[in-house]
Amino acid sequence: MDQLSLSNPVFAAYAISAALMILKGVAMSWLTVIRMTAENGGFRNPEDMKKTLVNPRPNETQLAPNDRVERIRRIQLNDLENLPYFLVAGLLYVTTTPSLFLAQFLFYTYVLTRMLHFIAYYTAQIHDIRAALWTPGSLIIIYMAGSTFGSAVW
């Protein structure tokens, strides 16, 4: 269990990366709410049409899809499809006692590519750019999971 302690620099690097990715994931929910409020639309549920202090003048158009709100939701969905794998693979990878340099490279590169992917998605860059930013992170997850598997089997 010494490996899963902040006194282990590899685990500390993972903890920093994991915390940043968790904060980014949670921030997406807030960004969705901010965008829905700014757009006064993109709501999904009929009960959101009730008159409240936050929504003093509800109207049916608020339930219509809103491209700007939906873009944020797609970014969040992409995070939900990717971040859990990183969180688990990274934690398991720590137990393989990798070199600090390699672990930091993998963890921090993952964080960097996810942040750049967010910017590309948020600014409506073409799929090729988003894919080029997504691919390194996916390969990092595969590498960490494969390395963990190999360490456990052999």
Side-chain angles (χ1 to χ4, degrees):
M1 288 306 275
D2 290 342
Q3 292 169 329
L4 302 182
S5 164
L6 291 176
S7 63
N8 173 1
V10 171
F11 181 75
Y14 166 76
I16 290 166
S17 300
L20 288 170
M21 291 294 87
I22 291 167
L23 289 169
K24 187 226 180 279
V26 171
M28 294 309 304
S29 297
W30 284 98
L31 189 54
T32 302
V33 170
I34 291 166
R35 181 62 60 88
M36 287 170 55
T37 302
E39 295 289 317
N40 194 30
F43 304 152
R44 286 192 165 165
N45 303 300
E47 60 271 19
D48 298 340
M49 297 297 301
K50 293 182 180 174
K51 186 176 182 175
T52 66
L53 291 175
V54 177
N55 191 10
R57 290 177 300 285
N59 64 71
E60 290 184 22
T61 62
Q62 291 174 318
L63 287 178
N66 179 292
D67 289 338
R68 290 174 46 83
V69 174
E70 292 306 313
R71 174 165 300 282
I72 303 301
R73 286 190 174 121
R74 289 191 302 273
I75 296 169
Q76 185 176 33
L77 180 59
N78 188 275
D79 279 349
L80 292 172
E81 294 168 346
N82 289 277
L83 297 185
Y85 293 115
F86 169 74
L87 296 173
V88 173
L91 184 61
L92 293 174
Y93 182 67
V94 168
T95 68
T96 69
T97 61
S99 76
L100 177 59
F101 174 79
L102 179 58
Q104 286 175 328
F105 174 79
L106 295 171
F107 297 151
Y108 299 153
T109 300
Y110 184 85
V111 170
L112 178 63
T113 60
R114 288 306 301 174
M115 295 300 193
L116 293 173
H117 181 270
F118 163 76
I119 293 167
Y121 215 142
Y122 189 80
T123 60
Q125 301 301 310
I126 61 172
H127 178 265
D128 297 3
I129 293 172
R130 295 191 323 269
L133 293 167
W134 171 85
T135 300
S138 182
L139 292 174
I140 287 169
I141 291 170
I142 291 167
Y143 175 82
M144 291 189 305
S147 181
T148 302
F149 179 78
S151 293
V153 171
W154 295 288

